[in-house]
């Protein structure tokens, strides 16, 4: 199918969204070179970042699709542009954690790097003005962010299934999947699809041999070699997984 | 039965706990005159507060017991002292909310005083050093604060049943039950019992006619007439509920 880029719709922190001309079922995403952290209080960018993140997501989403996970991904249009299904985004960030790090370690004063006894799914309410607060099922339901416990349970089981698949995916690249954030949405037929991206911006990824951080924490924590780490992740994926 | 006060065990923010001589199944609680807020960063006290809070809890726990809610309350020993069953306390604060206020209103930037579409149960991890963080079922389970989802579900249904009873209790006093905090523990036979206290320290209570705050928010927010409000709550309870 051929798609034509339509009008500007929305500029996010890492992507710009356009309509697709004459087809309301799709959107046109442009992956940007910008990097943000701490609810966009810290900003940066590097040349080629959009391209790398699109390519990583492309590999991962095609791998997930081949394992029966439905995603919004449709067709790459350039090195940093892709056409996706238009979804009604569920306003939850769905986080899965395998190893203690980030906000979980901070909240409970835990040492970083400890394997959890089983994967932990967390929901955060997607709302920049509120700082994306951590929420419970009951809060999501009573405040009307989702309609039913069934939807929440569905999101949890999808997230856990994706976690199993991604652990295998990164294991082959000798990378530990520490934690990651997913977003989901409903298509026009009310199916839930995986949306957004899966990249070093949205995952914590540690080199399995050296323990070195390879993800956005290098930017958050001023560890340097941000671009090089993102490139290394893509290279390892390309070496281990064919499209 | 006759009980004798044993050795000092622990001093909390609002109560001091002693053993009961020659009986390990019980503890001796002394209700203090101190008031604390914001994780004890703000401190105060007033003469007679321990006595008022004990008497309010005494009324409420006996009312709950007569409605088949098991509590740790055994026998008053003086105006500010009571013998309770010794429990292994579950490290969760169980909060029930009927109307928006407090940390919920702040977290989601909601107007105070809005009726929720149904009662909301929240868990906070009881840990002063961490500031009693809000947690989800999954965090409580994966981090091992409770053993099973069954226990969490049991706490939720007990809390909702207590909420129904307390709404009726305070309604008769022309007081709105905005929200409240409960604690639970296991007895030696692994039964779950309601523990701690139910007082204007642990509930938000608003005068049904005037909307005026009658609880610890008067202290938190420097509204004045703290002692008078606590006395008024006790008086209304005494006028409407016989022991």
């Amino acid at each position: 199918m051929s798609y034509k880029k339509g009008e500007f719709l929305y500029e996010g922190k890492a992507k710009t969204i356009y309509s697709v001309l004459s087809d309301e079922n799709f959107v046109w995403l442009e992956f940007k070179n910008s990097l943000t952290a701490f609810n966009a209080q810290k900003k940066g960018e590097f040349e080629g970042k959009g391209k790398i993140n699109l390519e990583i997501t492309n590999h991962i989403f095609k791998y997930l699709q081949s394992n029966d996970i439905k995603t919004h991904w449709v067709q790459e249009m350039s090195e940093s542009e892709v056409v996706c299904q238009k979804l009604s985004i569920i306003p939850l960030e769905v986080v899965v954690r395998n190893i203690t790090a980030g906000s979980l370690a901070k909240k409970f004063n835990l040492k970083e790097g400890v394997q959890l006894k089983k994967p932990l799914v967390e929901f955060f309410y997607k709302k920049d003005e509120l700082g994306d607060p951590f929420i419970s099922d009951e809060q999501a339901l009573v405040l009307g962010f989702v309609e039913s416990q069934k939807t929440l349970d569905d999101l949890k089981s999808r997230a856990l299934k994706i976690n199993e698949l991604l652990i295998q995916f990164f294991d082959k690249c000798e990378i530990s999947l520490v934690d990651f954030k997913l977003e989901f949405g409903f298509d026009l037929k009310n199916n839930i699809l995986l949306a957004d991206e899966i990249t070093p911006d949205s995952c914590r990824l540690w080199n399995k041999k050296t323990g070195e951080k390879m993800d956005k924490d290098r930017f958050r924590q001023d560890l340097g070699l941000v671009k090089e780490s993102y490139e290394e992740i893509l290279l390892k994926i390309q070496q281990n997984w064919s499209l």
Side-chain angles (χ1 to χ4, degrees), chain A:
Chain A
M1 257 181 91
S2 96
Y3 301 96
K4 287 207 178 71
K5 188 168 173 177
E7 61 179 342
F8 165 85
L9 294 178
Y10 173 78
E11 177 147 20
K13 281 176 268 187
K15 291 184 283 298
T16 306
I17 305 177
Y18 300 86
S19 67
V20 166
L21 267 190
S22 319
D23 200 332
E24 293 215 327
N25 297 316
F26 301 97
V27 285
W28 182 291
L29 304 188
E30 194 176 307
F31 279 61
K32 301 196 293 178
N33 288 334
S34 52
L35 263 169
T36 65
F38 312 119
N39 202 17
Q41 289 179 322
K42 180 170 183 169
K43 292 177 185 182
E45 65 172 330
F46 65 82
E47 188 58 37
K49 189 238 176 192
K51 212 174 91 178
I52 294 172
N53 273 3
L54 182 141
E55 194 54 23
I56 291 174
T57 303
N58 189 36
H59 264 88
I60 294 178
F61 276 23
K62 283 182 179 160
Y63 161 79
L64 291 175
Q65 284 173 177
S66 73
N67 284 283
D68 298 325
I69 303 291
K70 285 181 197 148
T71 82
H72 69 152
W73 207 254
V74 177
Q75 191 178 311
E76 308 88 78
M77 304 307 296
S78 80
E79 285 187 324
S80 61
E81 293 167 294
V82 61
V83 166
C84 291
Q85 283 200 59
K86 189 175 184 172
L87 302 178
S88 165
I89 293 292
I90 297 167
L92 298 180
E93 298 195 340
V94 182
V95 169
V96 184
R97 300 179 183 278
N98 297 302
I99 295 172
T100 57
S103 68
L104 182 81
K106 195 175 166 198
K107 178 172 179 174
F108 294 104
N109 196 24
L110 303 172
K111 204 173 149 247
E112 257 202 4
V114 180
Q115 181 80 37
L116 294 168
K117 65 181 184 186
K118 61 177 203 168
L120 172 61
V121 181
E122 297 176 341
F123 293 134
F124 293 81
Y125 177 45
K126 261 174 77 71
K127 197 76 170 178
D128 284 342
E129 311 92 273
L130 302 176
D132 299 333
F134 171 70
I135 64 167
S136 64
D137 290 22
E138 284 81 2
Q139 287 183 340
L141 291 170
V142 170
L143 299 178
F145 304 148
V146 291
E147 273 196 19
S148 68
Q149 184 66 48
K150 194 168 157 282
T151 299
L152 295 172
D153 291 341
D154 183 306
L155 294 178
K156 288 180 201 177
S157 66
R158 270 169 217 264
L160 289 171
K161 175 71 183 155
I162 292 168
N163 184 45
E164 281 175 30
L165 291 167
L166 290 184
I167 287 173
Q168 290 173 39
F169 182 88
F170 283 113
D171 196 59
K172 208 169 162 188
C173 305
E174 300 201 301
I175 291 171
S176 290
L177 179 63
V178 175
D179 56 40
F180 59 98
K181 184 259 301 183
L182 301 172
E183 296 185 21
F184 295 90
F186 292 104
D187 69 9
L188 294 172
K189 290 172 186 160
N190 238 24
N191 297 307
I192 295 181
L193 269 65
L194 179 61
D196 200 42
E197 61 177 56
I198 297 184
T199 66
D201 280 7
S202 66
C203 304
R204 283 195 174 83
L205 300 167
W206 295 353
N207 183 306
K208 218 157 206 173
K209 283 186 182 155
T210 65
E212 267 193 318
K213 297 179 178 183
M214 304 176 75
D215 54 72
K216 196 162 80 173
D217 272 349
R218 299 202 72 84
F219 168 68
R220 284 191 195 94
Q221 301 170 8
D222 297 314
L223 302 175
L225 300 175
V226 181
K227 182 180 183 176
E228 290 76 3
S229 288
Y230 279 52
E231 285 171 340
E232 196 186 337
I233 291 168
L234 176 56
L235 185 67
K236 285 185 179 237
I237 291 174
Q238 287 168 334
Q239 286 169 344
N240 288 288
W241 294 95
S242 55
L243 271 178

